[in-house]
Amino acid sequence: MVNKQLFSRFGPYVLFAVIALLGFSQLALGTHPPKYDMIDCFYPWRYYIGECFQAGEFPFWNPYQDLGYPIYADPSSGAWYPPVWIIGSIWGYSIKALSFEFILHIFFAGVGFYLLSMHLLQHKKTAVILAVAYMLCGLFVGNAQHLPYVVSACWLPFVLLFYFKMIAESNWRNPIKAGFFLSLMITGGYPAFVIILFYLFLFFSIYYFVGKIRLGIKKEIWYFVGQHVVFLCFTLLLSFGLMLSIWQVSPYMSRLGNFSIEQALYSPFSPQSFISFLYPYATIAKTDFFDSDLSMRNAYFGLIPLLFFLVGNFKAKPFQVKVLYFFGLFCLMAAVGSYLPIRGFLFKYVPMMNVFRFPSVFRLFFILSALITAGIALKQYFENGLKKQYIILTTSVLFVGSVLLIFVARNQHALQLRNFFNDYLYNAFEFDNFWQPLGIHAIFQSIFLLTILLVLWRVKDKRKLFYGLLTIVCFDMILVSQLNSPYTVYYDHISASEAQNNIPEDRKGFPQLSNISIDSAGRLPQLGQPYWQNVNDFHKEITAEGFNSFSFTNYDGLEANYPALFHALKKNQLIELGDSIWNLKTLDKMPDSSIHPKLRFFEAQEYKILSKFNFHHSEKDVAELIDYSGNNFAIKTTTSAKQLLHLFQKNYRGWKALVDGKEVPIYTNNMNFMSIVLPPGQHLVEFKYTNPSIKWAFFISLFFLLITGPLLYFLKRKNC
């Protein structure tokens, strides 16, 4: 009896762990490394952040990329995401740690969707099936390289769950839980999902608030408002550091509110991509047919959920499910981008909808709503409230369609099974059209559909029926994940151990920089596969290169508008002495042939101040970097006359310069970099990054994070 109770209670969570491990076994077992942006962006950023924490520093500044940038203010870096703090501080980041973080989020995605489904549908068997389908759905497989997408999709069901429980139950625990999980979405996820979710919550809040007012019970009205205030405040307190960071960096940024409609419509979930609802393997073809990036084409959520979704469209739904249903359909229309006017309308007229790209992000909300809608019909089926004929007919139609597609693919001379099993399975083969993968997947789906028909037709016992359908869902989702993973999840041509061994062990921490130019630092030998972008975070050399959407307006402007000057500046080393000062106004009149590495341009006001000094630089003058970290540069200088000392790091709020311990003004050369007036003689110059408000924000967020558990326990004991 006890074993049955334990199995009933913990069995689903064990299943979710197994599904996460099997669905992404190449990452879970460490046989292959993650792919694309996971390696090029999120790994080097988290690697650097972890090293900062292990060195006892908060990761304010990353000096290695784009001649320095405030990594703490980059929402995609993970600097404010608690799991990154834990992994980075305790173990540091490696291929295994990154893969572990990914698998962990897949597991919790299943847990969250299971709990959400239990709350909305009140049916355990249905909730288990839906959770398995969600955790290996097209967004997790297709956008596996986009770790913030994975994070957002992981915590979204938890946020919805505790928001709905907050509406339904009279206690203060649910608003705190909802705020906690929303803060995880904010600090670790992609902002677009939070923005979209805001409008869903706005509708629910207004609807229920109006309902409370109509009832006219003041106590309930104030309690309702109080719950929302607690929800909002706890979210903001836990996310306070990131919020403040974004506010601080916003004046410097070139990508806050400056998107064009063309950028916002880029890479939709096109109508052609709807084929992924049934045959997601077809979307891996290298073709322009889909009019979208490979990562944005997949919205698969399982054959059985699809069958029951098609029937569930016509079934009565509870209010919250009905709202999710229509909101999901609306998001699907927005996801298609320019194929419908919805996304363009949102971009032009709805606040905050003009700050993110990729219409395909909307598809997550459709997947979630489609699964819940499928759950309505599936629950009725288990409870004998749904006629078997409806599902059998729908399954038969899809089976016949799949068989017909097999014949069409055969006529296209694309159905080469021997080549598939010998060469394509588990290997990222570049199909130049979708008929081969479409035909292959149609065969698999025909087998699954036939099996579903047999189970629905022959199995009468509800317990056996549940296990039969659950087994089909597990095999279906794992198969699809395995088929698509070589294209969107992992590099199939290199092992994880080889990838890890290509990271130089002797460059950990903050090693001595090479005595080379900025340009040479950006041209160091590649690390080897699979690394391509942001390798300077592993080389530990300061470069002007960087693959990051987090761009400073002035830095982008220097590179785009004054390329001759930008390339000339890269011939300098990190630290330079000089006596050259020019008014920035003269730059536009200067021909490219006159541009050389020693030119330093200053804004008119700073130029006016500096022109009063009598600068003189000699070749015998020396400036030597004697120590540095992420937030500090210590330089020893010996000079014969007053001159300028330049540090090729961006002049961003928080930097202070000290000469022999005394603070001196920092000037901005060439619209970006730091310069100080250096007196003659021997001196110790320090550039230190300090940001007391961000440190306080960190401690505030950390404090409320640490008290969340004890606070919930206290409220539970007090039954409030």
Side-chain angles (χ1 to χ4, degrees):
M1 185 68 178
V2 175
N3 289 337
K4 280 189 175 182
Q5 289 177 344
L6 288 174
F7 179 78
S8 177
R9 183 176 180 181
F10 297 107
Y13 304 111
V14 174
L15 174 65
F16 302 150
V18 171
I19 293 297
L21 295 173
L22 292 178
F24 299 100
S25 58
Q26 292 80 5
L27 297 186
L29 299 176
T31 55
H32 293 289
K35 201 166 193 176
Y36 299 139
D37 285 7
M38 284 283 275
I39 283 291
D40 290 331
C41 295
F42 306 112
Y43 181 30
W45 298 339
R46 277 160 160 74
Y47 182 87
Y48 175 78
I49 289 169
E51 291 203 315
C52 286
F53 280 125
Q54 291 186 333
E57 290 190 356
F58 185 80
F60 282 117
W61 193 259
N62 182 343
Y64 304 116
Q65 184 175 313
D66 287 333
L67 293 176
Y69 80 106
I71 193 170
Y72 79 93
D74 183 356
S76 297
S77 71
W80 291 101
Y81 188 44
V84 173
W85 298 350
I86 297 170
I87 296 173
S89 299
I90 298 175
W91 300 288
Y93 269 89
S94 62
I95 296 289
K96 288 183 179 179
L98 187 69
S99 299
F100 169 76
E101 183 182 345
F102 177 83
I103 296 296
L104 194 66
H105 282 92
I106 299 300
F107 166 72
F108 277 112
V111 172
F113 205 88
Y114 169 71
L115 296 175
L116 175 64
S117 301
M118 282 288 290
H119 176 76
L120 291 175
L121 304 175
Q122 299 295 310
H123 196 266
K124 187 172 184 178
K125 294 176 181 178
T126 298
V128 171
I129 289 175
L130 297 182
V132 171
Y134 182 74
M135 62 194 296
L136 296 184
C137 73
L139 186 129
F140 287 113
V141 176
N143 291 110
Q145 62 167 301
H146 302 128
L147 192 50
Y149 283 39
V150 173
V151 171
S152 294
C154 167
W155 302 123
L156 174 61
F158 287 96
V159 180
L160 289 169
L161 166 67
F162 290 111
Y163 182 82
F164 290 149
K165 293 187 78 169
M166 181 181 81
I167 298 297
E169 301 173 5
S170 298
N171 64 60
W172 298 104
R173 299 189 300 277
N174 289 319
I176 291 174
K177 292 177 183 178
F180 170 75
F181 286 108
L182 182 55
S183 74
L184 293 180
M185 278 189 71
I186 292 171
T187 57
Y190 187 59
F193 296 103
V194 176
I195 294 169
I196 298 168
L197 180 62
F198 166 79
Y199 287 99
L200 177 62
F201 281 165
L202 182 64
F203 173 83
F204 277 121
S205 299
I206 293 173
Y207 175 85
Y208 285 114
F209 182 67
V210 171
K212 298 288 184 183
I213 290 178
R214 286 177 176 174
L215 291 174
I217 305 175
K218 290 186 177 180
K219 183 178 179 181
E220 288 194 12
I221 294 173
W222 285 112
Y223 194 84
F224 178 85
V225 172
Q227 283 184 311
H228 280 74
V229 169
V230 171
F231 171 41
L232 179 62
C233 288
F234 213 78
T235 300
L236 293 176
L237 287 168
L238 289 171
S239 312
F240 183 54
L242 179 61
M243 299 290 191
L244 181 60
S245 302
I246 294 174
W247 177 79
Q248 285 187 351
V249 81
S250 58
Y252 299 82
M253 294 297 294
S254 62
R255 288 192 56 180
L256 286 175
N258 291 322
F259 277 112
S260 65
I261 184 65
E262 290 76 20
Q263 288 175 301
L265 294 174
Y266 173 72
S267 205
F269 181 65
S270 62
Q272 301 92 296
S273 301
F274 283 25
I275 198 172
S276 69
F277 290 132
L278 194 53
Y279 311 106
Y281 188 48
T283 64
I284 56 88
K286 191 177 182 181
T287 172
D288 294 333
F289 169 77
F290 292 102
D291 187 28
S292 186
D293 184 77
L294 171 63
S295 63
M296 302 292 174
R297 306 170 186 172
N298 192 347
Y300 191 66
F301 54 90
L303 264 181
I304 288 176
L306 176 63
L307 293 170
F308 283 90
F309 167 73
L310 294 174
V311 176
N313 279 288
F314 307 101
K315 297 298 175 182
K317 305 170 184 65
F319 174 72
Q320 291 174 344
V321 175
K322 186 182 295 184
V323 172
L324 287 176
Y325 171 75
F326 285 108
F327 187 75
L329 292 179
F330 179 83
C331 286
L332 180 62
M333 291 188 290
V336 302
S338 60
Y339 290 89
L340 287 174
I342 304 298
R343 180 65 184 105
F345 174 86
L346 295 175
F347 178 88
K348 291 180 180 178
Y349 301 110
V350 179
M352 296 302 293
M353 287 287 179
N354 63 341
V355 298
F356 62 89
R357 296 187 297 168
F358 308 123
S360 188
V361 299
F362 283 91
R363 81 190 192 278
L364 172 63
F365 291 87
F366 173 74
I367 293 171
L368 185 145
S369 68
L371 284 170
I372 296 297
T373 302
I376 293 291
L378 187 57
K379 176 186 176 182
Q380 290 184 15
Y381 185 75
F382 280 125
E383 295 177 344
N384 296 319
L386 180 68
K387 291 183 178 180
K388 183 183 293 187
Q389 292 86 336
Y390 293 151
I391 297 298
I392 290 178
L393 177 61
T394 306
T395 308
S396 300
V397 170
L398 294 183
F399 173 74
V400 172
S402 295
V403 172
L404 290 175
L405 272 177
I406 294 171
F407 283 105
V408 174
R410 184 70 177 170
N411 290 334
Q412 294 287 330
H413 306 288
L415 203 55
Q416 302 169 20
L417 293 178
R418 181 176 296 178
N419 288 345
F420 171 75
F421 286 105
N422 289 341
D423 303 323
Y424 308 156
L425 189 63
Y426 301 121
N427 293 293
F429 183 83
E430 291 191 357
F431 297 103
D432 57 4
N433 67 70
F434 59 81
W435 284 109
Q436 171 77 353
L438 177 59
I440 292 294
H441 205 179
I443 292 175
F444 286 122
Q445 298 298 61
S446 297
I447 296 171
F448 277 118
L449 288 163
L450 184 59
T451 306
I452 293 170
L453 280 171
L454 291 174
V455 170
L456 295 175
W457 187 267
R458 302 292 298 175
V459 179
K460 307 298 183 183
D461 182 82
K462 292 300 179 183
R463 184 171 178 271
K464 292 180 179 179
L465 177 64
F466 163 67
Y467 283 114
L469 294 180
L470 177 61
T471 301
I472 294 171
V473 169
C474 291
F475 275 98
D476 172 26
M477 300 307 297
I478 291 171
L479 174 66
V480 169
S481 177
Q482 289 293 312
L483 286 174
N484 284 63
S485 286
Y487 300 89
T488 59
V489 178
Y490 65 86
Y491 285 108
D492 61 286
H493 59 278
I494 185 172
S495 70
S497 59
E498 288 178 286
Q500 189 61 52
N501 290 337
N502 285 335
I503 300 295
E505 288 290 325
D506 61 335
R507 301 298 289 175
K508 286 185 175 293
F510 296 96
Q512 183 176 352
L513 299 174
S514 302
N515 190 27
I516 56 178
S517 69
I518 295 167
D519 186 55
S520 298
R523 297 176 183 272
L524 292 173
Q526 288 293 315
L527 293 177
Q529 295 183 345
Y531 306 100
W532 179 43
Q533 306 275 16
N534 295 330
V535 294
N536 41 299
D537 283 0
F538 301 115
H539 278 306
K540 301 296 176 63
E541 296 291 351
I542 293 174
T543 75
E545 316 306 325
F547 179 59
N548 193 348
S549 59
F550 187 79
S551 304
F552 273 43
T553 303
N554 286 350
Y555 193 75
D556 283 351
L558 175 64
E559 185 175 8
N561 301 325
Y562 306 102
L565 178 61
F566 180 75
H567 290 295
L569 292 174
K570 290 196 293 183
K571 295 180 181 179
N572 293 292
Q573 294 187 348
L574 172 66
I575 300 163
E576 292 285 338
L577 296 168
D579 51 18
S580 169
I581 59 169
W582 291 75
N583 193 323
L584 185 59
K585 293 180 179 179
T586 64
L587 178 56
D588 289 324
K589 302 175 183 178
M590 188 173 291
D592 288 351
S593 58
S594 301
I595 299 294
H596 58 82
K598 302 304 177 183
L599 288 174
R600 303 291 179 266
F601 295 91
F602 296 88
E603 293 282 358
Q605 187 174 358
E606 291 189 346
Y607 175 79
K608 184 178 180 181
I609 296 172
L610 294 174
S611 61
K612 296 177 180 179
F613 292 98
N614 184 22
F615 295 132
H616 179 71
H617 171 63
S618 168
E619 293 299 324
K620 295 181 180 180
D621 296 331
V622 176
E624 177 187 4
L625 181 69
I626 58 174
D627 191 23
Y628 83 103
S629 66
N631 307 319
N632 181 64
F633 294 88
I635 304 163
K636 184 179 179 181
T637 64
T638 304
T639 56
S640 57
K642 183 177 292 186
Q643 56 195 285
L644 290 170
L645 171 67
H646 310 290
L647 177 67
F648 282 96
Q649 293 282 286
K650 295 190 187 77
N651 187 11
Y652 176 73
R653 62 180 301 163
W655 279 110
K656 291 183 178 181
L658 299 96
V659 177
D660 300 326
K662 183 179 179 181
E663 187 173 352
V664 297
I666 297 177
Y667 304 95
T668 304
N669 77 76
N670 297 314
M671 301 178 287
N672 287 276
F673 312 113
M674 292 187 280
S675 300
I676 65 166
V677 175
L678 181 67
Q682 292 187 346
H683 301 284
L684 175 64
V685 179
E686 294 176 282
F687 289 87
K688 292 186 174 183
Y689 190 85
T690 58
N691 200 326
S693 59
I694 291 296
K695 275 195 173 181
W696 276 108
F698 171 74
F699 288 121
I700 290 171
S701 295
L702 182 60
F703 171 77
F704 281 95
L705 178 67
L706 293 175
I707 69 166
T708 299
L711 179 60
L712 290 172
Y713 177 76
F714 172 79
L715 292 173
K716 186 175 182 180
R717 287 289 301 271
K718 295 294 183 180
N719 196 27
C720 60

